Amino acid sequence: MIEIIEKAKMQHALTKQEIIALLEVPAIDEELAAAADAVRQKYVGDEVHLRGLIEFSNVCGRTCRYCGLRGANKNLKRYRMEPETILDLARKAAGYGYKTLVLQSGEDAYYTAPKMEHIIREIKKLDLALTLSIGEKTTEEYRAYKRAGADRYLLRIETTNSELYKNMHPGMSLENRLRCLNDLKLLGYEVGTGCLVGLPGQTLAMLADDILFFKAIDADMIGIGPFIPNQDTPLAGEAGGTFELARRVMAIIRLVLPDINIPATTAMETLNKNGRIIGLQSGANVVMPNVTEGEYRKLYALYPGKICMNDTPAHCRRCITGKIQGIGRQIASSQGNRKKFAKE
Ligand code: 5AD
Ligand code: FES
């Protein structure tokens, strides 16, 4: 097993069987994380990129079976921010020193392309890199956002297994998800994707396929999170993913995609109170602190136990900076685009 890790550390390539082997043996967790940490340091350095996250609407037209924002969940009070409110938060985020802003929402038809273009243009005046995470759109819409100035787009594939995908996402298809990711790449976005770890019915072989898929499409950013069952969804009684397996998936992704951006995700910290720092020491180089304010934070309830529910943006900024400096890493001062390394 140690040989497989050593090989991946040097060659950044693994077969499906090798990935499955690494995923199923907990005994090598520390070796795997150390290898991912070394590759992270060699390729993307010690700087940690912070991305300020604005959750601007929890209204969603989809019914993903794991997600608390699913339209069918009647137990959630819904909100949407007006463009001026979003811009206000964006200006504050720039004031806290964020170099990248992520605008995330449910799939909310209220935000038409012209509305989004207005928001994007205004935010770009602040000299920030802008990431959108607003779901599946048409090619034309993606083109319009790009023209308006959006730089990056996050759209997790969630799972590459078409059966599991169909099962988890009523009325949606893996084909359209792939179409979206392909459009985004062709339009020149930096593309972020990722998967959920521990979905009901998901196998290690499926996770290995997910990892190979990320490499095949040469994703620029990969966010991994454990599935956390939400009481207000049909998956309320299911088991949920583990921190350990999500960490293993993340570390393997760093080994095979050495120069990409990898966030230590909020869902990781929900399952382990030191989850983001452990993530940063197991291959990650990005953190996405929440800059949403007040009641909205609590209402963006993807899953239970989300961290920082009662904290302010200023508090989170200070808190995470302290934690990052506490492990001898620095907050990056650049926008943190992916810098591709030439193939060895
Ligand atoms: N547990 C963990 N992550 C979830 N997400 C949605 N619902 C859950 C859940 N119950 C993740 C999805 C989505 C991201 C914004 O939040 O992967 O892409
Ligand atoms: Fe929000 Fe620490 S990052 S309280």
Side-chain angles (χ1 to χ4, degrees), residues 269 276 289-290 297 307-308 311-312 315-317 319-320 323:
E269 188 129 328
R276 288 177 300 176
N290 201 327
R297 256 187 204 231
I307 57 165
C308 312
D311 297 307
T312 62
H315 176 86
C316 286
R317 169 78 205 201
C319 165
I320 198 67
K323 289 184 183 189

Side-chain angles (χ1 to χ4, degrees), residues 49-56 86 90 99-105 116 119-120 123-124 127-135 142 145-146 149-156 184 189-193 220-222 261 263 286-288 291 335-338:
H49 299 283
L50 297 185
R51 323 291 200 196
L53 175 68
I54 301 179
E55 300 159 330
F56 67 90
I86 300 171
K99 308 289 179 210
T100 295
L101 209 65
V102 183
L103 292 186
Q104 190 176 83
S105 70
M116 283 311 302
I119 296 166
I120 294 164
I123 290 180
K124 285 306 287 182
D127 197 28
L128 296 169
L130 179 60
T131 305
L132 301 178
S133 177
I134 59 178
Y142 287 144
Y145 309 150
K146 189 82 185 57
D151 303 287
R152 310 181 188 140
Y153 205 100
L154 300 184
L155 185 74
R156 285 188 180 170
L184 293 163
Y189 285 91
E190 275 203 6
V191 176
T193 185
D220 301 301
M221 190 272 219
I222 302 290
N261 286 315
V286 170
V287 178
M288 298 167 62
V291 296
Q335 290 189 340
N337 291 317
R338 176 188 186 191

Side-chain angles (χ1 to χ4, degrees), residues 48 77 143 165 173 184 238 272 298 309 337:
V48 176
K77 182 175 153 194
R143 183 174 293 125
Y165 189 94
S173 73
L184 293 163
E238 299 289 341
N272 180 315
K298 297 195 188 72
M309 289 289 242
N337 291 317

Side-chain angles (χ1 to χ4, degrees), residues 50-282:
L50 297 185
R51 323 291 200 196
L53 175 68
I54 301 179
E55 300 159 330
F56 67 90
S57 162
N58 71 353
V59 177
C60 193
R62 304 284 189 184
T63 52
C64 305
R65 292 177 67 224
Y66 46 79
C67 184
L69 304 193
R70 65 203 308 273
N73 178 10
K74 303 296 175 214
N75 292 336
L76 183 65
K77 182 175 153 194
R78 304 286 169 164
Y79 73 88
R80 26 171 96 102
M81 293 180 194
E82 286 305 321
E84 272 320 306
T85 312
I86 300 171
L87 295 174
D88 209 40
L89 287 180
R91 287 182 203 108
K92 286 186 187 167
Y96 297 128
Y98 289 107
K99 308 289 179 210
T100 295
L101 209 65
V102 183
L103 292 186
Q104 190 176 83
S105 70
E107 290 199 15
D108 184 353
Y110 175 76
Y111 301 90
T112 57
K115 257 200 189 97
M116 283 311 302
E117 286 169 68
H118 165 69
I119 296 166
I120 294 164
R121 278 203 196 89
E122 289 303 310
I123 290 180
K124 285 306 287 182
K125 291 181 186 164
L126 301 171
D127 197 28
L128 296 169
L130 179 60
T131 305
L132 301 178
S133 177
I134 59 178
E136 295 184 15
K137 303 286 170 181
T138 63
T139 311
E140 272 319 305
E141 286 169 310
Y142 287 144
R143 183 174 293 125
Y145 309 150
K146 189 82 185 57
R147 280 208 191 113
D151 303 287
R152 310 181 188 140
Y153 205 100
L154 300 184
L155 185 74
R156 285 188 180 170
I157 194 82
E158 315 293 0
T159 174
T160 57
N161 182 276
S162 60
E163 278 308 300
L164 182 61
Y165 189 94
K166 252 191 243 140
N167 198 330
M168 290 294 122
H169 306 101
M172 297 171 74
S173 73
L174 186 60
E175 289 67 33
N176 197 50
R177 202 80 171 171
L178 293 169
R179 191 272 303 161
C180 291
L181 288 171
N182 190 46
D183 280 356
L184 293 163
K185 235 327 49 92
L186 291 176
L187 286 164
Y189 285 91
E190 275 203 6
V191 176
T193 185
C195 63
L196 283 167
V197 172
L199 287 170
Q202 188 182 46
T203 63
L204 296 183
M206 291 178 196
L207 286 170
D209 284 334
D210 293 349
I211 294 171
L212 291 171
F213 166 77
F214 301 146
K215 186 156 171 80
I217 66 163
D218 192 29
D220 301 301
M221 190 272 219
I222 302 290
I224 297 299
F227 156 60
I228 302 171
N230 184 319
Q231 336 51 300
D232 291 331
T233 67
L235 302 184
E238 299 289 341
T242 65
F243 176 81
E244 289 73 22
L245 186 57
R247 179 186 180 214
R248 244 174 269 161
V249 171
M250 211 190 71
I252 295 170
I253 291 170
R254 173 59 74 196
L255 294 180
V256 299
L257 283 159
D259 60 7
I260 64 166
N261 286 315
I262 300 181
T265 58
T266 305
M268 295 280 276
E269 188 129 328
T270 297
L271 295 191
N272 180 315
K273 69 176 182 2
N274 204 25
R276 288 177 300 176
I277 290 301
I278 296 172
L280 287 173
Q281 296 177 313
S282 312

